[in-house]
Amino acid sequence: MTTGIRPEAPRGAADVPAARQGGGAGGARLEAVLERITYQNDENGWTVARVDTGRGGGDLLTVVGALLGAQPGESLRMTGRWGSHPQYGKQFVVDAYETVLPATVQGIRRYLGSGLIKGIGPRMAERIVEHFGAASLDVIEQDIARLIEVPGLGPKRRDLIAAAWVEQKAIKEVMVFLQGIGISTSPAVRIWKEYAEQSITVVRTEPYRLASDVWGIGFKTADAIAQAVGIPHDSPQRVKAGLQYTLSEGADNGNCYLPQDDLVAAAVKILEVEAALVRACLDELADEEGVVREEMPGPVTPSGSQGDPVQAVYLVPFHRAEISLAGRVRALLAGPDDRLAGFRDVDWDKALGWLRSRTGTALAPEQEAAVKLALTEKVAVLTGGPGCGKSFTVRSVVELARARKAKVVLAAPTGRAAKRLSELTGCEAATVHRLLELRPGGDAAYDQDRPLDADLVVVDEASMLDLLLANRLVKAVPPGAHLLFVGDVDQLPSVGAGEVLRDLLAAPAVPRVRLTQVFRQAQQSGVVTNAHRINAGRPPVTDGLNDFFLFAVDEPEDAARLTVDVVAERIPRRFGLDPRRDVQVLAPRHGGTAGAGALNLLLQEALTPSRPGLAEKRFGGRVFRVGDKVTQIRNNYDKGESGVFNGTGGVVTGINADDQKLTVLTEEDESVPYDFSELDELTHAYAVTIHRSQGSEYPAVVVPVTMSAWMMLQRNLLYTAVTRAKKLVVLVGSRRALGQAVRTVSAGRRWTGLDHRLGRFG
């Protein structure tokens, strides 16, 4: 396939038909204006689009094919063949296309108003074309100063348009090259953003850099590019990149390292080369300090003994973070300073009596032990399930610390969890990212050289802390300060690599309390009762409760339809909850008929449908509308005041076609603008995966549980979903799938070395 940009042959000022059809040796030809993209696969560029052939009557034609880089509003000269779809009728199958600048007034108006050029929206395009007519593009290209002749278009907007036009031309030149070797639009734009005019050079000479430098481009895409530019299949450059990719995949699955034999076997399968070559390249990579190898104790066996040692292979950042985190925790525990030294000799009967008079509630013995531990030990862990009083225990710790004028710092991994912690304690709480003031590139403003001003640091939802974030946090805790980790170790581990909370609990040197008593008030909650039943391997009670329901259907399609009905109609009608603000669908996986991806389309159509006057923006195969629930899917340290991070939720509050920006109000009450080219960082969040819901709490959750997600149906997954609900849980799906989820224990521990470095066996 070839793509390119060609000026259209002059046609004069009068409008003429924008489409030509023909055939011949090169196949059928079609010229038309791209009106909208209805579906696009970001991996291979396969596109389903609607085009205007210029025949009038408002009829649009469907075209399908790899329309790499084509943007709504552009005129396309396509070659291919005519076909017919059994459901959608006549369509044109595109083999190749060229972008042509429109020469007609109508085409220019549509092209400029498409949003392709920042600073020009539909209204401004109308004004420009009304003033300059068919010469509009020539004016922008050759004499852009004249744009100030257009009413309402001042020097500031003129300069914005000029810069955008130049950038668009440069991007297009790079796009032609990138798309010529099979790189689709979304990654091509990201490559341009990373390397600008160096894009072609980097892609030709160092294609595997893309996998580490450019978000969204993994090894497989970089490997395809490398083959397109002639990198040999057995090149050491390729094998080393493949080894690092395999370790990155392991980290994406939660592992801080991989055993060497497992790594080699996986790399051989991915790369399709000999194991001897992989081992030789691994040796070179270790010598070049691209990876770190270290002998580690084997996993703990079911009997509690230590397994055979393994040769661990780490990516460098994870090795450094693991050593650093373990060292900082040990240093905090053993350090001579104590910022809360007054609690060593406190009269606890008197202190707890004062606390009881202040809160009106007496602590249970387990809670008393946890309070004493947090205020007398410099590192401690508090864990326990729902209804066991973790929240009240944390409030008690904070009350006593503040009574002694201690400086208390509260943090949680997500905005929702931080809000909840703030409401609970009456003190300001922040996300860990905001607390540390993470900067572009991921460096923190607070670290060991500039520690937090704190006597006590409390971190809630600590099961969500991955290794890298936990390391950044602990480095910022000053010597002598107390650090309390709070979380439910039976929930899913962090999305990122590591099992920090579990590893802390596995280290005898780290003091801990596990709360086990379910309080009487919590016992009256079906949500709490069933959470504990699920955690113990017993099926939940689904009859006779007013806050826990099962709608039994077997087929995934039926479960999807019923899920939408429950969210949009039944819960609002019976419980008075807002379906967008108060109800969250939590799916075991993203894909599938009843997965988060498909449910988002159905729920958006039910809750935020298209209507006149409601602003929307199409991006790839998705449509963003004002009012949409969305979530960020990558860490972006450059957005917002202190970055916007994977899992941050929000609501779309504005879409500006002229400025090409979409605005999101995040759950941290920050208004964050996104360029239209950045919308691949956002996804809809009417339904999210259970993994993505960690650290959040919702008035009501709806969980589709079907056998189509059978590989994901595990006890800790269902337990995590149920414990996200404050008031109401509705399960939709089959009893068989529910039973499998309750019976199936997760596949085991991740490969981590933190527990060993902390002293696993004391």
Side-chain angles (χ1 to χ4, degrees), residues 37 113 153 224 242 247 256 327 341 358 394 428 430 443 447 489 497 567 571 597 677 679 702 705 711 725 755:
I37 293 172
L153 200 160
L247 287 171
C256 298
R358 184 169 178 83
V394 170
E428 183 180 354
D443 292 331
D447 55 21
V489 74
V567 172
I571 288 178
S677 63
L679 294 184
V702 180
V705 186
M711 289 193 66
D755 56 349

Side-chain angles (χ1 to χ4, degrees), residues 99 160 196 199 227 302 326 363 386 400 457 478 539 612 626 637 659 718 725 735:
T99 301
L160 177 66
S199 298
Q227 291 183 46
L363 292 168
L400 286 171
V457 178
V626 171
Y637 298 97
D659 295 336
L718 182 60
R735 296 184 185 278

Side-chain angles (χ1 to χ4, degrees), residues 57-353:
D59 291 337
L60 300 180
L61 174 72
T62 297
V63 298
V64 298
L67 291 170
L68 301 166
Q71 299 288 336
E74 290 183 321
S75 295
L76 306 181
R77 182 176 293 147
M78 297 166 279
T79 58
R81 61 193 184 279
W82 291 97
S84 180
H85 188 278
Q87 183 176 353
Y88 301 110
K90 184 179 180 181
Q91 60 185 23
F92 190 79
V93 182
V94 180
D95 293 326
Y97 82 92
E98 293 178 333
T99 301
V100 292
L101 292 177
T104 69
V105 169
Q106 180 185 0
I108 292 169
R109 181 186 298 114
R110 189 178 292 135
Y111 177 74
L112 290 177
S114 68
L116 194 63
I117 308 301
K118 188 176 293 188
I120 304 179
R123 289 189 298 273
M124 187 56 67
E126 188 75 37
R127 293 180 195 169
I128 292 172
V129 174
E130 187 176 321
H131 189 80
F132 294 113
S136 297
L137 296 182
D138 289 336
V139 169
I140 294 174
E141 173 74 31
Q142 300 170 13
D143 193 9
I144 201 164
R146 290 189 60 198
L147 282 182
I148 61 172
E149 298 173 16
V150 178
L153 200 160
K156 185 176 180 180
R157 185 176 292 273
R158 178 202 62 196
D159 294 344
L160 177 66
I161 293 170
W165 182 262
V166 170
E167 182 182 49
Q168 192 64 32
K169 285 181 62 182
I171 289 175
K172 279 291 185 183
E173 290 173 8
V174 173
M175 289 288 192
V176 170
F177 168 75
L178 296 178
Q179 291 158 11
I181 59 174
I183 303 177
S184 57
T185 306
S186 185
V189 170
R190 290 195 290 267
I191 291 171
W192 163 261
K193 284 185 176 181
E194 181 69 28
Y195 305 118
E197 64 277 358
Q198 295 299 312
S199 298
I200 295 174
T201 301
V202 171
V203 169
R204 277 179 173 155
T205 60
E206 301 177 273
Y208 291 104
R209 274 183 61 187
L210 304 178
S212 57
D213 291 353
V214 183
W215 176 76
I217 295 185
F219 172 79
K220 292 180 181 178
T221 301
D223 196 33
I225 295 168
Q227 291 183 46
V229 298
I231 302 295
H233 186 73
D234 58 355
S235 161
Q237 179 188 1
R238 176 175 184 265
V239 176
K240 291 174 189 178
L243 282 163
Q244 291 182 313
Y245 163 73
T246 306
L247 287 171
S248 295
E249 285 283 285
D252 289 343
N253 291 323
N255 299 298
C256 298
Y257 69 83
L258 290 179
Q260 180 168 293
D261 291 344
D262 293 2
L263 170 62
V264 171
V268 166
K269 185 175 181 180
I270 291 168
L271 297 167
E272 298 180 336
V273 296
E274 295 296 325
L277 175 60
V278 173
R279 291 186 182 277
C281 288
L282 179 58
D283 290 341
E284 291 182 20
L285 199 57
D287 291 341
E288 297 163 1
E289 299 183 353
V291 297
V292 178
R293 291 191 290 197
E294 180 182 355
E295 185 174 283
M296 298 291 289
V300 177
T301 65
S303 64
S305 61
Q306 185 174 313
D308 294 333
V310 297
Q311 183 77 351
V313 185
Y314 287 83
L315 289 172
V316 173
F318 294 103
H319 188 258
R320 288 176 177 167
E322 205 171 78
I323 290 175
S324 171
L325 176 56
R328 293 294 299 177
V329 170
R330 290 199 309 268
L332 286 171
L333 283 167
D337 298 332
D338 189 346
R339 292 181 173 227
L340 298 179
F343 282 102
R344 292 180 185 174
D345 303 317
V346 77
D347 182 336
W348 283 106
D349 288 338
K350 184 177 179 181
L352 294 173

Side-chain angles (χ1 to χ4, degrees), residues 666-707:
T666 73
E667 59 196 16
E668 299 173 52
D669 296 324
E670 182 181 8
S671 189
V672 178
Y674 288 78
D675 289 340
F676 285 171
S677 63
E678 298 175 314
L679 294 184
D680 53 356
E681 296 187 15
L682 290 175
T683 189
H684 292 96
Y686 298 98
V688 299
T689 63
I690 297 169
H691 278 88
R692 190 166 286 281
S693 74
Q694 288 174 265
S696 296
E697 208 176 52
Y698 313 94
V701 301
V702 180
V703 188
V705 186
T706 68
M707 289 305 296

Side-chain angles (χ1 to χ4, degrees), residues 437-445 636-643 645:
E437 295 181 13
L438 293 184
R439 298 165 172 168
D443 292 331
N636 188 332
Y637 298 97
D638 298 319
K639 296 202 76 62
E641 292 181 12
S642 301
F645 301 94

Side-chain angles (χ1 to χ4, degrees), residues 414-627:
T414 68
R416 281 180 177 265
K419 276 186 177 179
R420 191 174 68 245
L421 184 59
S422 181
E423 292 164 0
L424 168 72
T425 60
C427 301
E428 183 180 354
T431 63
V432 176
H433 301 93
R434 285 190 179 276
L435 176 67
L436 301 178
E437 295 181 13
L438 293 184
R439 298 165 172 168
D443 292 331
Y446 292 94
D447 55 21
Q448 64 267 39
D449 297 322
R450 187 196 176 197
L452 297 165
D453 184 14
D455 302 317
L456 170 66
V457 178
V458 179
V459 188
D460 199 9
E461 294 288 354
S463 63
M464 287 189 66
L465 287 177
D466 61 49
L467 174 66
L468 300 181
L469 185 59
N471 179 49
R472 290 190 183 104
L473 171 65
V474 175
K475 282 199 294 188
V477 177
H482 288 219
L483 175 59
L484 175 63
F485 294 100
V486 183
D488 185 347
V489 74
D490 294 321
Q491 290 181 17
L492 290 169
S494 57
V495 174
E499 288 186 296
V500 173
L501 185 62
R502 191 179 295 274
D503 284 343
L504 289 167
L505 288 166
V510 180
R512 84 291 310 276
V513 168
R514 179 162 191 153
L515 303 179
T516 58
Q517 177 187 342
V518 181
F519 288 91
R520 184 177 302 171
Q521 183 177 357
Q523 291 173 359
Q524 298 170 0
S525 163
V527 175
V528 171
T529 300
N530 278 331
H532 285 279
R533 287 179 65 87
I534 291 166
N535 201 31
R538 293 182 291 160
V541 175
T542 57
D543 296 321
L545 298 174
N546 60 10
D547 63 351
F548 201 104
F549 301 88
L550 169 64
F551 288 85
V553 289
D554 288 330
E555 296 302 321
E557 294 82 1
D558 295 334
R561 284 192 294 269
L562 186 52
T563 295
V564 174
D565 186 47
V566 166
V567 172
E569 302 293 340
R570 301 192 188 199
I571 288 178
R573 186 167 58 239
R574 177 164 177 180
F575 296 97
L577 297 175
D578 183 281
R580 284 188 291 187
R581 184 184 65 243
D582 300 327
V583 185
Q584 183 62 56
V585 175
L586 304 180
R589 63 175 185 153
H590 181 80
T593 307
L599 286 169
N600 268 316
L601 295 175
L602 296 173
L603 286 162
Q604 183 193 36
E605 203 54 41
L607 299 175
T608 317
S610 177
R611 61 179 187 269
L614 180 66
E616 64 177 43
K617 168 62 183 175
R618 290 183 178 271
F619 183 86
R622 299 195 299 274
V623 181
F624 292 97
R625 299 185 181 118
V626 171

